[in-house]
């Protein structure tokens, strides 16, 4: 059997970010990814200003820009009779998840085409297939087999259209769905919507569309350090899903690296990570959920203070 300090299950955005940061911190880590990149994934394609900052922390921001990422300087939100455009205090970026995953995976120790079969604990160590390690991190996404979540009766739908939309993130609320469109590389626009299950059939007529679900926002207590969607989805309205993936990957890597240096056990590292995750993300996740569920009040709030409200959500 081979031995590693850390095994990350999943090599998409959160897993690749985590593995890259672990190596940058001097640990022997690998992310095991069942798919091969590039590959399609339902995603809004919007990197918020905070997510852009995380890419800079990982030293891949220049690579993302060279891949054709489009600067996004404002958001246009439409709900009911309200239609407002808000200028960002800091710009975001538009890029397809296909391109972003490939960039991160090429710059991190990601073993593609390796679907994890078994994980079990042996004393103070773990055995992941044929790899012995001291720490396991679950980055296997919202459908992870290794972290339990509470599912919602909602599905994600994503597709591309030819033609760019300029530097604006468009976001719409409908009775049975919400989502938006943003310019990405290759003169394309990326559209993604969250749709309630009874209305799903109405959103399946777009050429090239892909669907995922049911979605799961809340993670239940589990055995492993969980990052990205495996830790629980951030409400898509926040536009912070990719930031959450990147930040939690970086956070877990730093907590684990520090824990290994001071000989902390796995439970101590897991507790520290979850405590810091809670402080960083619990309020933001709750705010996104409340705004989505209370859209009747959200429209009037946008009329009163749109710039301040949306910049607090997206930055």
């Amino acid at each position: 059997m081979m031995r590693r300090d850390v095994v990350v299950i999943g090599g998409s955005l959160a897993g690749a970010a985590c593995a890259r940061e672990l190596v940058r911190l001097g640990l022997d880590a690998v992310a095991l990814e069942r798919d091969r990149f590039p590959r399609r994934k339902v995603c809004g394609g919007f990197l918020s200003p905070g997510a852009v900052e995380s890419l800079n922390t990982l030293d891949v921001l220049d690579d993302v820009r060279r891949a054709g990422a489009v600067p996004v300087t404002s958001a246009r939100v439409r709900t009911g009779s309200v239609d407002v455009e808000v200028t960002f205090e800091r710009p975001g970026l538009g890029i397809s998840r296909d391109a972003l995953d490939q960039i991160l995976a090429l710059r991190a120790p990601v073993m593609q085409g390796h679907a994890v079969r078994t994980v079990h604990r042996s004393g103070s160590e773990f055995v992941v297939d044929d790899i012995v390690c001291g720490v396991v991190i679950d980055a296997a996404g919202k459908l992870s087999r290794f972290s339990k979540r509470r599912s919602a009766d909602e599905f994600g739908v994503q597709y591309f259209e030819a033609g760019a939309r300029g530097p604006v993130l468009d976001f719409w609320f409908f009775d049975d769905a919400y989502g938006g469109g943003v310019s990405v590389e290759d003169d394309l626009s990326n559209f993604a919507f969250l749709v309630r299950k009874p209305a799903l059939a109405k959103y399946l007529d777009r050429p090239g569309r892909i669907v995922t679900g049911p979605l799961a926002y809340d993670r239940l207590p589990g055995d492993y350090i969980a990052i990205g969607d495996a830790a629980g989805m951030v409400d898509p309205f926040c536009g912070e899903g990719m930031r959450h993936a990147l930040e939690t990957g970086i956070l877990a890597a730093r907590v684990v690296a520090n824990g290994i240096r001071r000989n902390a056990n796995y439970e101590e590292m897991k507790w520290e990570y979850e405590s810091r995750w809670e402080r960083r993300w619990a309020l933001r996740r709750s705010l996104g959920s409340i705004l989505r569920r209370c859209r009747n009040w959200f429209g009037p709030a946008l009329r009163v203070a749109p710039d301040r409200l949306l910049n607090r959500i997206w930055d």
Side-chain angles (χ1 to χ4, degrees):
M1 286 190 176
M2 70 176 72
R3 181 175 292 274
R4 303 273 189 169
D5 293 325
V6 184
V7 171
V8 182
I9 304 173
S12 190
L13 203 54
C18 186
R20 179 171 174 81
E21 186 68 4
L22 285 165
V23 169
R24 282 157 48 90
L25 294 170
L27 296 181
D28 183 8
V30 65
L32 306 178
E33 169 58 43
R34 66 180 180 180
D35 293 324
R36 293 189 179 276
F37 301 113
R39 60 96 171 87
R40 290 282 304 279
K41 185 172 185 177
V42 174
C43 184
F46 173 62
L47 288 162
S48 70
V52 173
E53 186 176 315
S54 292
L55 292 176
N56 191 47
T57 297
L58 291 166
D59 196 25
V60 296
L61 181 55
D62 288 343
D63 297 317
V64 171
R65 286 178 170 145
R66 281 193 293 268
V70 178
V72 180
T73 58
S74 65
R76 184 164 49 231
V77 182
R78 301 165 192 171
T79 174
S81 61
V82 179
D83 186 338
V84 299
E85 185 165 344
V86 178
T87 300
F88 291 150
E89 294 173 359
R90 298 188 294 165
L93 290 173
I95 187 169
S96 71
R97 188 61 178 271
D98 316 38
L100 189 59
D101 275 337
Q102 187 172 27
I103 291 168
L104 264 293
L106 289 174
R107 287 150 182 80
V110 176
M111 188 181 298
Q112 300 181 41
H114 184 129
V116 173
R117 301 182 302 277
T118 61
V119 180
H120 69 269
R121 193 157 186 176
S122 177
S124 62
E125 296 185 314
F126 296 89
V127 180
V128 183
D129 292 345
D130 58 350
I131 304 174
V132 178
C133 61
V135 174
V136 169
I137 298 174
D138 181 12
K142 58 186 170 294
L143 302 179
S144 172
R145 297 184 290 115
F146 306 101
S147 294
K148 297 178 181 178
R149 292 156 317 286
R150 184 180 294 109
S151 63
D153 200 21
E154 297 172 333
F155 289 74
V157 178
Q158 187 263 346
Y159 58 91
F160 294 108
E161 285 187 357
R165 309 179 63 77
V168 180
L169 167 67
D170 279 299
F171 208 95
W172 304 279
F173 283 100
F174 306 111
D175 290 338
D176 49 22
Y178 66 94
V182 68
S183 299
V184 295
E185 73 281 3
D186 298 329
D187 197 35
L188 294 172
S189 291
N190 184 111
F191 292 88
F193 294 90
L194 186 146
V195 184
R196 294 171 183 157
K197 185 177 180 180
L200 186 59
K202 296 194 301 184
Y203 292 83
L204 301 182
D205 60 346
R206 296 287 183 171
R209 58 96 183 110
I210 57 174
V211 180
T212 189
L215 305 184
Y217 296 104
D218 299 318
R219 177 179 183 250
L220 301 175
D223 297 327
Y224 305 112
I225 294 170
I227 61 178
D229 283 350
M233 284 182 57
V234 175
D235 194 291
F237 167 69
C238 291
E240 291 279 55
M242 291 200 282
R243 179 183 185 178
H244 179 253
L246 293 164
E247 279 197 3
T248 54
I250 294 169
L251 173 61
R254 293 177 176 177
V255 168
V256 166
N258 183 57
I260 289 176
R261 291 191 191 101
R262 57 186 174 83
N263 294 317
N265 62 39
Y266 186 75
E267 284 68 31
E268 291 172 329
M269 289 185 274
K270 181 173 179 289
W271 180 87
E272 181 181 350
Y273 163 76
E274 291 177 350
S275 297
R276 293 177 63 178
W277 177 89
E278 185 77 15
R279 290 195 299 271
R280 177 67 173 165
W281 283 97
L283 180 60
R284 186 181 296 272
R285 293 175 75 248
S286 297
L287 177 61
S289 178
I290 290 169
L291 289 174
R292 174 174 59 91
R293 296 173 189 278
C294 301
R295 66 187 68 174
N296 291 338
W297 293 279
F298 183 54
L302 282 176
R303 283 197 180 101
V304 175
D307 286 76
R308 184 176 181 182
L309 179 60
L310 287 182
N311 270 293
R312 292 292 76 76
I313 293 172
W314 281 324
D315 195 353

